Amino acid sequence: MRIPHPFWLWLWLLGFVLAALIGVLLYAENKTSVLQARFLSRYAATMNYALEPGENTDLAYPETGPYNQRLGYTHLPFFIKSLKSDGFDVEWQMRPSKNFNDFVKHGGFPIYRSKTSAGLTIFDRQGQVMHRATFPARTFASFDDIPPVLTNALLFIENRELLSSPYATHNPAVAWGRFAAAAFGQVAAMFVGDLNLGGGSTLATQIEKFRHSPNGQTTGIMDKLRQMISASVRAYLDGPDTRKTSRRIVLDYLNATPLAARPGWGEINGVGDGLWAWFGIDINIAARALQNDDSDAYLPRKAEIFKHCLALILAERRPSYYLLGNHAALEQLTSVTLDRLLDHGVISKSLRDAARKTPLHFLTVPPAQEQNSFIAQKASNAIRRYLLNSFGMANLYELDRFDLSVGSTLDMPVQEKVTEFLQKLHDPAFVESIGLTGFRLLDEEGDPTKINWSILMFERTAAGNMLRIQADNLDKPLDLNDGAKLDLGSTAKFRTLVTYLEIIADLRARYSALDSDELKAMAEDAPDNLTRWVTTWLAAHEDRNLPAILADAMQRQYSANADEGFFTGGGLHYFHNFEPKDNGRTVTVAEAVRKSINLPFIRLMRDVANYIMTQGPNPKQDILGDPDHPARRAFLERFADNEGAVYLNRFYTAYKDLSPDEALAKLTKNGQRRPAPMAVIFRSVRPAANAGDFVAFVRKLRADYPSTDQQLQKIFASYPKERYNLADRAYIAGTHPLELWLASYLAQYPGAARKDALIASQAERQATYNWLFKTSTPAQDTRIRIMLEQDAFVTIQQDWAKFGYPFDHLVPSLATAIGSSADRPGALAELIGIILNDGIRMPMVRANYVNFALNTPFQTMMKRQDTPGQRVLVPEIAREVRKALLDVVENGTARRVSGAFANAKGEKIAIGGKTGTGDQRFDEFGASGKLISSRVVNRTATFVFFIGDRHFGSITAYVAGEEAANYKFTSALPAQMLKMLAPTLMPLIEGSR
């Protein structure tokens, strides 16, 4: 035997000693984590951030993780961009340290103390909380609030070493022994299929997983390492001593563990919300019960609650599987785990036995979530809807879960008083006591409980129009101010007046440089009344200033005669005045505004529409009466396409749900049941059918039909589809061509969508109206006039839209001047704000600041910036309209509110506004324009107003449904209401700035 050389022996011994020393050090480090504590605590201390002015363009936002998505952190770049487009800018934003950013950029999760609960909070202008949502809502406040039996059970199941280490520096995020066993098990499982050596996750890494990993899952070894490293660094945020951190990990896990999502409730996180949503057990009651001992007096309840808590802890492994359907599997797993807890001394035998006897009791439906009445939430919901629109989101559920604080412009003290006042209006005694009963107000037939009230008020400031009040007494989600489409009656005269004065101002600007002779010649050949009047006025005045012509335009006269028929909206219509005594009068525009007289505004709108038709290099009215005009055919084709679409829509509604046999039966019923019409209908809808099929069809309709089979077969042969065009076949069948075509189309394409039918029928719609291209010039002129009127109202809508009109379509009818095109109280308020601000459209402001992710590395404070506004109306028009609105209150339909507001010195505050009464009905007219039937749909009364030089808004009374026929109130009602609200509103009027 050869003896080793002493040098190699000593080298071998040195290696052995070093290896042993390293082993001892690794063993000691595994137990104590001293080196990790020293290094990671120093590294974690560099993971800091500070709030600084301006935007941080290098901020690294989270990109994945259910927690980050739920709280809105992943969406922050989009939200910031969206709010910038709405006038906000970043005022303050966090500046994380370089190490923080580098750690995230290299794949780590953001290192900070994550929030257990968060949600949307909305403050009013003084900082009073209006709305607060917190998710999860039921949590343990501290580690000491968690019953020890629950902590011990959790640790036994998930992380036994977490609180048992005697070393203060122990790393709670990694259990190397379990990790090594789990890693070995993953490899061994490749060869031994049923081998399971358990998982290597600690509670700390599980928290990282369900908060920050994509979809809350571990997708591979690199994802697991990311979780371990992030959890380890996070564990040392408070320094090398991790004892408090370990307890916080238990607390965070129980408060945040995901427990599926339940229909009717939503996402469930944490044992507290889980106990309530799945079992109806309150966390505070549960905590008290679990603190009790195992004596007979407390044991049954303690055992019941402990088992349900244990079931939730176990369900976290597969929450959807266990909680949404496989309750029996969860029951079995819980029972087995109770035995294991007993075997290892975690619980007593009496608690185990009592718990096993208690089955899990799942609620069939989740508990009703606490919710204030819709009335109380109207103000906060207005802000929430604004945020939804700004963020491009679909529902309030997601919004309420964002880590977000919003400073609204609303004045909650006055808002609450106004809301309380509106709620009292369902009390008949209160309604009578404040003077809302009487002529043109409420009478004995109208039930006040069926009237819905809404009020909206803004304050004009240099930064925009600040929303101060948005309230109604409708206990439903619908917001009457901004969410409804209402017939607001004569408030439309307000918009019509502005458009009229704009035209006068435009004509003056266009022609004021001409001399009198030129103007007189133009007046003689003027194609419309407004051009004729302006050129005549300019010819007669040397001083052609804008205020003077606007003032005289208000004195132009119109007839209030109600006997004239108006061809508008595709037919002949008659209109009436509210006061029959006005029918024989001729009044000025100013008086028509003051007293809200209808017929002058019908005629004024006719002048406006006719003026628009004459504009452009090729005046559209030249088409009329000229059969050779090159644009004539295009107008007729448009008419054919539009009217054909109306008929096709009507037929689609009637036939879309019918089977082919039912459609055939309906067609023959609508047409004629003589053999020839039936043959045409049958062969049109079923072109592949034979004569025998037709005979069977006829016999099915009527077994004793008088024609013989031979006669029916001969008639069938006489009417092949290809011999007759669509119009001829429809004529023979006695039905509309598009009805016949649609039945055939739906037989060929069952279930086809309406839009597909419209696209496919384009040629047939034109063919149906071939007669129109061959008829007389006057008949064509009638159709062309309809299209010209439609075009004019497209232009009018575009003009109204720049003042905030909320809809993209106007009813192409002169009745639009008196409300047929509907409106919204909020949109009318915006218009009156423009008038009050001398023609400048300022932003309608609902929020002053938005603060995302408070006290996190992503905190972003955005504030609304002052904007100059957009001039949409010359100041002279705004001032002239303002005078007219003041006249409405002083001498017209709203005079009852005159003098209702006075300052502290007793001086009267000027009030102006426009009233409107909407009596919406479904009316059916005969060919001569005579009313055949009428059904009431709703009734509204609105007063859009300004008070002084800063405050403006609207107030509306609304009754829905056919019950509206029982009410006779007019716009005098909201005017009286504003008068009654004056004492409540005065603190706002006097105090706002």
Side-chain angles (χ1 to χ4, degrees):
M1 176 177 175
R2 183 179 179 184
I3 300 175
H5 191 279
F7 173 77
W8 295 109
L9 180 62
W10 284 109
L11 188 62
W12 183 85
L13 288 173
L14 180 61
F16 177 80
V17 170
L18 288 174
L21 181 61
I22 292 172
V24 169
L25 289 174
L26 288 175
Y27 177 81
E29 179 62 21
N30 180 44
K31 291 290 186 181
T32 66
S33 306
V34 171
L35 296 178
Q36 296 174 65
R38 177 175 297 181
F39 171 75
L40 292 179
S41 62
R42 290 177 180 176
Y43 183 56
T46 68
M47 299 280 187
N48 48 42
Y49 41 88
L51 193 63
E52 296 181 10
E55 185 172 2
N56 178 12
T57 56
D58 293 328
L59 184 59
Y61 301 99
E63 296 181 356
T64 62
Y67 176 85
N68 299 314
Q69 292 169 341
R70 182 172 68 251
L71 271 62
Y73 300 159
T74 58
H75 309 301
L76 272 175
F78 172 77
F79 293 161
I80 292 169
K81 182 179 179 180
S82 178
L83 285 174
K84 281 183 176 180
S85 68
D86 197 31
F88 286 80
D89 203 1
V90 176
E91 190 86 0
W92 296 81
Q93 197 166 32
M94 281 294 184
R95 263 67 171 180
S97 65
K98 182 179 184 302
N99 280 348
F100 182 101
N101 279 337
D102 288 346
F103 186 79
V104 174
K105 289 176 181 178
H106 287 89
F109 299 137
I111 303 301
Y112 67 102
R113 294 174 185 84
S114 303
K115 299 177 180 180
T116 295
S117 296
L120 173 66
T121 302
I122 301 175
F123 301 94
D124 84 335
R125 59 188 298 211
Q126 287 96 12
Q128 176 181 337
V129 174
M130 296 171 50
H131 172 85
R132 173 167 284 152
T134 305
F135 299 94
R138 299 160 185 83
T139 59
F140 295 108
S142 69
F143 176 81
D144 293 334
D145 293 328
I146 306 172
V149 67
L150 186 58
T151 300
N152 295 336
L154 171 66
L155 295 179
F156 174 80
I157 295 168
E158 298 290 351
N159 198 169
R160 300 178 190 180
E161 307 89 348
L162 182 61
L163 299 182
S164 62
S165 175
Y167 302 102
T169 56
H170 176 70
N171 182 355
V174 182
W176 289 108
R178 292 176 61 197
F179 179 74
F184 176 78
Q186 291 290 321
V187 175
M190 299 171 61
F191 304 97
V192 183
D194 295 332
L195 183 65
N196 184 359
L197 299 182
S201 295
T202 61
L203 289 182
T205 56
Q206 288 189 57
I207 293 172
E208 298 294 326
K209 177 189 69 174
F210 64 64
R211 278 183 169 170
H212 303 294
S213 290
N215 300 315
Q217 297 176 345
T218 303
T219 57
I221 186 63
M222 292 305 298
D223 205 12
K224 174 58 68 177
L225 289 173
R226 183 181 296 112
Q227 294 165 12
M228 292 171 61
I229 294 170
S230 298
S232 295
V233 178
R234 198 185 309 274
Y236 290 100
L237 272 174
D238 292 329
D241 188 338
T242 60
R243 287 173 293 187
K244 289 184 179 179
T245 298
S246 296
R247 291 192 288 271
R248 188 172 63 244
I249 288 170
V250 173
L251 178 68
D252 285 352
Y253 184 89
L254 288 174
N255 282 337
T257 184
L259 295 171
R262 183 163 197 189
W265 181 277
E267 185 180 12
I268 302 168
N269 292 285
V271 169
D273 272 6
L275 284 172
W276 184 248
W278 290 112
F279 307 122
I281 299 173
D282 181 82
I283 188 174
N284 296 313
I285 296 174
R288 288 195 295 270
L290 293 177
Q291 296 284 4
N292 294 323
D293 57 37
D294 292 353
S295 62
D296 291 344
Y298 301 116
L299 186 58
R301 183 61 169 157
K302 179 179 180 179
E304 177 190 5
I305 290 176
F306 177 72
K307 183 172 183 177
H308 285 82
C309 291
L310 181 62
L312 291 178
I313 291 172
L314 295 169
E316 190 277 336
R317 302 172 183 178
R318 299 173 67 188
S320 296
Y321 172 80
Y322 285 122
L323 296 172
L324 288 175
N326 290 278
H327 296 168
L330 182 59
E331 179 79 51
Q332 182 180 5
L333 178 62
T334 306
S335 296
V336 170
T337 305
L338 285 168
D339 292 340
R340 292 180 61 215
L341 291 173
L342 173 63
D343 293 341
H344 288 80
V346 179
I347 61 174
S348 68
K349 184 176 185 301
S350 58
L351 179 58
R352 191 281 308 267
D353 293 344
R356 291 201 66 170
K357 292 178 183 177
T358 305
L360 295 174
H361 295 289
F362 281 86
L363 297 177
T364 55
V365 294
Q369 301 193 51
E370 293 182 12
Q371 183 173 323
N372 294 325
S373 71
F374 289 112
I375 297 172
Q377 295 184 93
K378 284 298 163 72
S380 59
N381 282 347
I383 309 303
R384 292 161 79 202
R385 281 193 304 275
Y386 161 72
L387 294 171
L388 283 182
N389 293 332
S390 296
F391 296 160
M393 296 173 58
N395 57 68
L396 296 174
Y397 171 88
E398 290 183 73
L399 179 68
D400 274 348
R401 283 157 175 77
F402 283 174
D403 185 8
L404 177 63
S405 298
V406 179
S408 80
T409 62
L410 286 154
D411 190 302
M412 277 309 291
V414 179
Q415 169 83 23
E416 288 172 350
K417 290 178 181 178
V418 170
T419 300
E420 181 183 359
F421 188 97
L422 294 182
Q423 287 179 294
K424 291 180 180 178
L425 294 175
H426 284 165
D427 179 0
F430 179 75
V431 168
E432 186 172 359
S433 70
I434 62 173
L436 288 184
T437 57
F439 181 60
R440 293 184 178 172
L441 302 175
L442 297 179
D443 54 28
E444 295 179 356
E445 295 182 13
D447 180 358
T449 64
K450 301 295 176 60
I451 300 179
N452 300 306
W453 288 92
S454 71
I455 183 169
L456 193 66
M457 278 196 68
F458 291 86
E459 180 181 3
R460 182 174 69 92
T461 73
N465 299 323
M466 304 294 173
L467 177 67
R468 298 303 188 206
I469 299 172
Q470 183 155 347
D472 63 45
N473 65 350
L474 177 63
D475 199 10
K476 294 181 180 179
L478 176 67
D479 185 340
L480 293 177
N481 292 299
D482 291 327
K485 187 172 185 178
L486 302 174
D487 180 353
L488 300 181
S490 292
T491 57
K493 295 170 186 171
F494 180 17
R495 295 193 185 277
T496 305
L497 175 66
V498 173
T499 299
Y500 162 65
L501 293 178
E502 277 189 296
I503 292 172
I504 298 298
D506 289 345
L507 286 169
R508 172 205 162 269
R510 191 184 309 169
Y511 299 125
S512 60
L514 301 180
D515 62 34
S516 295
D517 290 339
E518 291 174 308
L519 289 166
K520 289 176 182 177
M522 287 194 67
E524 290 181 4
D525 296 330
D528 69 282
N529 289 338
L530 298 185
T531 302
R532 183 178 301 107
W533 183 85
V534 170
T535 51
T536 301
W537 188 93
L538 291 172
H541 290 78
E542 292 185 6
D543 185 359
R544 300 171 178 177
N545 67 77
L546 182 56
I549 193 172
L550 293 175
D552 283 355
M554 293 296 293
Q555 301 306 312
R556 287 185 66 234
Q557 294 188 331
Y558 281 95
S559 169
N561 175 25
D563 294 330
E564 179 184 356
F566 296 83
F567 186 82
T568 184
L572 185 65
H573 296 274
Y574 290 85
F575 302 98
H576 65 274
N577 295 307
F578 182 75
E579 294 283 2
K581 64 182 181 182
D582 290 325
N583 290 348
R585 302 179 61 221
T586 297
V587 301
T588 64
V589 174
E591 184 178 356
V593 175
R594 180 190 313 127
K595 296 183 178 179
S596 202
I597 307 174
N598 287 343
L599 267 301
F601 268 90
I602 294 294
R603 294 181 169 93
L604 178 60
M605 182 61 91
R606 180 171 61 184
D607 280 355
V608 168
N610 286 338
Y611 164 78
I612 292 171
M613 293 179 197
T614 66
Q615 300 309 294
N618 298 305
K620 295 177 181 178
Q621 281 191 330
D622 290 351
I623 299 173
L624 299 176
D626 182 0
D628 299 320
H629 197 287
R632 192 174 182 87
R633 183 173 182 88
F635 273 89
L636 293 174
E637 288 176 349
R638 279 181 54 205
F639 175 85
D641 192 66
N642 287 4
E643 185 166 285
V646 171
Y647 277 105
L648 196 76
N649 272 311
R650 186 184 306 166
F651 296 139
Y652 183 88
T653 300
Y655 281 86
K656 64 184 177 68
D657 296 324
L658 300 183
S659 68
D661 287 345
E662 291 171 332
L664 268 175
K666 182 177 177 62
L667 269 173
T668 52
K669 182 179 179 181
N670 292 349
Q672 302 176 39
R673 289 202 171 181
R674 292 181 293 105
M678 285 196 295
V680 168
I681 291 171
F682 186 81
R683 300 201 69 169
S684 294
V685 177
R686 293 186 179 174
N690 56 38
D693 296 329
F694 174 63
V695 172
F697 165 70
V698 174
R699 298 300 180 207
K700 184 177 180 180
L701 282 179
R702 182 180 167 186
D704 59 344
Y705 199 82
S707 299
T708 64
D709 289 359
Q710 291 77 10
Q711 290 173 326
L712 290 174
Q713 290 172 354
K714 183 177 180 181
I715 291 172
F716 176 86
S718 300
Y719 292 97
K721 182 179 179 180
E722 58 274 10
R723 183 181 297 175
Y724 303 95
N725 62 33
L726 177 62
D728 290 340
R729 284 185 281 122
Y731 177 78
I732 297 170
T735 188
H736 194 284
L738 292 176
E739 183 179 15
L740 188 62
W741 177 87
L742 182 70
S744 175
Y745 176 80
L746 290 178
Q748 186 178 0
Y749 303 102
R754 187 186 301 265
K755 65 178 182 179
D756 295 331
L758 284 169
I759 293 171
S761 67
Q762 187 171 7
E764 284 73 15
R765 296 205 302 273
Q766 292 295 319
T768 298
Y769 287 86
N770 275 337
W771 60 270
L772 181 59
F773 301 100
K774 303 172 185 177
T775 192
S776 65
T777 299
Q780 291 180 347
D781 282 349
T782 298
R783 275 75 181 180
I784 293 173
R785 191 181 300 277
I786 292 172
M787 303 311 298
L788 289 173
E789 185 177 52
Q790 289 183 9
D791 289 348
F793 277 92
V794 169
T795 301
I796 294 169
Q797 187 278 333
Q798 293 169 351
D799 182 68
W800 286 16
K802 71 183 181 184
F803 304 119
Y805 183 71
F807 307 118
D808 57 7
H809 174 75
L810 290 177
V811 176
S813 166
L814 302 182
T816 285
I818 57 175
S820 68
S821 288
D823 216 321
R824 284 178 177 156
L828 282 167
E830 183 170 13
L831 175 56
I832 212 161
I834 293 169
I835 299 302
L836 196 59
N837 207 42
D838 266 357
I840 295 177
R841 185 180 182 183
M842 298 294 289
M844 306 299 281
V845 182
R846 288 167 167 79
N848 283 323
Y849 72 82
V850 176
N851 196 2
F852 295 103
L854 180 67
N855 297 328
T856 74
F858 326 111
Q859 182 173 353
T860 303
M861 164 67 84
M862 300 188 73
K863 287 189 176 180
R864 179 172 288 280
Q865 306 301 300
D866 290 352
T867 56
Q870 176 188 7
R871 177 164 292 286
V872 293
L873 197 64
V874 295
E876 291 85 354
I877 293 178
R879 292 163 194 161
E880 191 63 41
V881 173
R882 199 155 62 237
K883 286 194 296 185
L885 299 180
L886 288 166
D887 189 33
V888 169
V889 173
E890 289 301 312
N891 305 296
T893 53
R895 56 184 174 273
R896 66 178 61 237
V897 80
S898 177
F901 293 83
N903 61 24
K905 298 178 181 179
E907 299 167 337
K908 187 169 74 170
I909 299 175
I911 306 172
K914 182 68 189 80
T915 58
T917 303
D919 186 21
Q920 188 174 358
R921 298 167 178 266
F922 282 142
D923 292 336
E924 184 179 357
F925 295 91
S928 63
K930 182 179 179 181
L931 182 65
I932 298 174
S933 65
S934 180
R935 177 170 60 86
V936 175
V937 177
N938 61 55
R939 188 173 183 85
T940 60
T942 301
F943 182 42
V944 56
F945 58 84
F946 62 84
I947 304 169
D949 61 356
R950 290 186 295 117
H951 293 88
F952 62 93
S954 65
I955 188 164
T956 301
Y958 170 72
V959 180
E962 296 187 12
E963 288 182 295
N966 298 326
Y967 297 82
K968 302 296 185 289
F969 61 77
T970 68
S971 53
L973 185 63
Q976 180 69 19
M977 171 65 77
L978 184 61
K979 181 178 181 180
M980 294 298 99
L981 279 170
T984 304
L985 298 177
M986 275 310 299
L988 181 65
I989 304 298
E990 288 192 307
S992 295
R993 285 295 173 188

